[in-house]
Amino acid sequence: MKLPLAGLFVTVAVACVLAGLSPAAQIVDTEDAPGTRAASPIYGVTLPEGYRQWPLIAPAEEGEPLDELRAVLGNPIAMEAYRKRQLPFPDGTVLVKLAWKRIPSSEFEPASVPGAATTVQVMVKDSRKFAGTGGWGFGRFVQGPPADEAQHQTCFACHQARVVGHDYVFTRYAR
């Protein structure tokens, strides 16, 4: 039985609030020395300070083969652009997607809850620095070894193929 969209929204929103206690907190920065941050290959994107306290833009659910629950968060510039329905997004926009394996809830059978964290993904808008990729830089951070360059090469290609008309951003604002 699939969880209705409203139930999914609540599940992911609660997971976001609890993110500081979830396994997602173990994905990055645990191996870095204090004051340093892991950077993505190709783009050099890092995880922004305090991103786990940013507002929720929207939840998402990814079916097979990933079978994930996701939450997309935005910095203040992103949130203002979403509220104004501003496209293209302005420079300084930062989007962060948290992802967890989806598992059945032990308390409520039709519901899904976050399981093990899978990735934290980041998009940074800087039209000069990332001119060759629609103005966006990408970061994909995983538990264990850093994601490799080949994985990052697929980021823009996928966004370009599917959402060029929405400034390369999949996520729509959940009002």
Side-chain angles (χ1 to χ4, degrees):
M1 177 181 208
K2 287 216 171 209
L3 183 65
L5 185 56
L8 173 64
F9 182 81
V10 170
T11 300
V12 174
V14 168
C16 234
V17 170
L18 299 175
L21 302 175
S22 78
Q26 300 169 12
I27 289 181
V28 291
D29 296 335
T30 55
E31 297 174 2
D32 295 344
T36 65
R37 303 189 71 69
S40 68
I42 303 175
Y43 303 98
V45 169
T46 60
L47 285 170
E49 292 287 335
Y51 72 93
R52 289 185 176 276
Q53 282 70 52
W54 290 356
L56 177 70
I57 296 168
E61 178 180 21
E62 179 71 34
E64 295 299 328
L66 297 177
D67 203 23
E68 291 180 337
L69 293 175
R70 299 173 172 187
V72 179
L73 313 176
N75 72 349
I77 296 169
M79 297 310 295
E80 183 176 344
Y82 271 106
R83 283 187 207 101
K84 291 180 177 179
R85 299 177 189 220
Q86 179 181 357
L87 289 177
F89 287 91
D91 281 357
T93 296
V94 183
L95 307 174
V96 175
K97 177 172 56 178
L98 306 173
W100 303 268
K101 285 306 267 180
R102 180 176 51 166
I103 60 172
S105 169
S106 60
E107 290 86 20
F108 184 60
E109 186 177 317
S112 295
V113 297
T118 58
T119 63
V120 176
Q121 298 177 37
V122 181
M123 288 179 68
V124 176
K125 184 71 178 267
D126 184 326
S127 57
R128 289 185 190 167
K129 185 174 182 181
F130 306 117
T133 51
W136 291 98
F138 298 87
R140 184 171 185 270
F141 303 91
V142 297
Q143 194 164 6
D148 65 20
E149 188 172 312
Q151 290 174 316
H152 284 82
Q153 289 173 348
T154 65
C155 293
F156 181 64
C158 183
H159 286 250
Q160 184 180 34
R162 293 177 172 86
V163 284
V164 69
H166 196 259
D167 194 20
Y168 307 102
V169 176
F170 284 98
T171 304
R172 304 305 192 266
Y173 190 35
R175 297 178 188 268

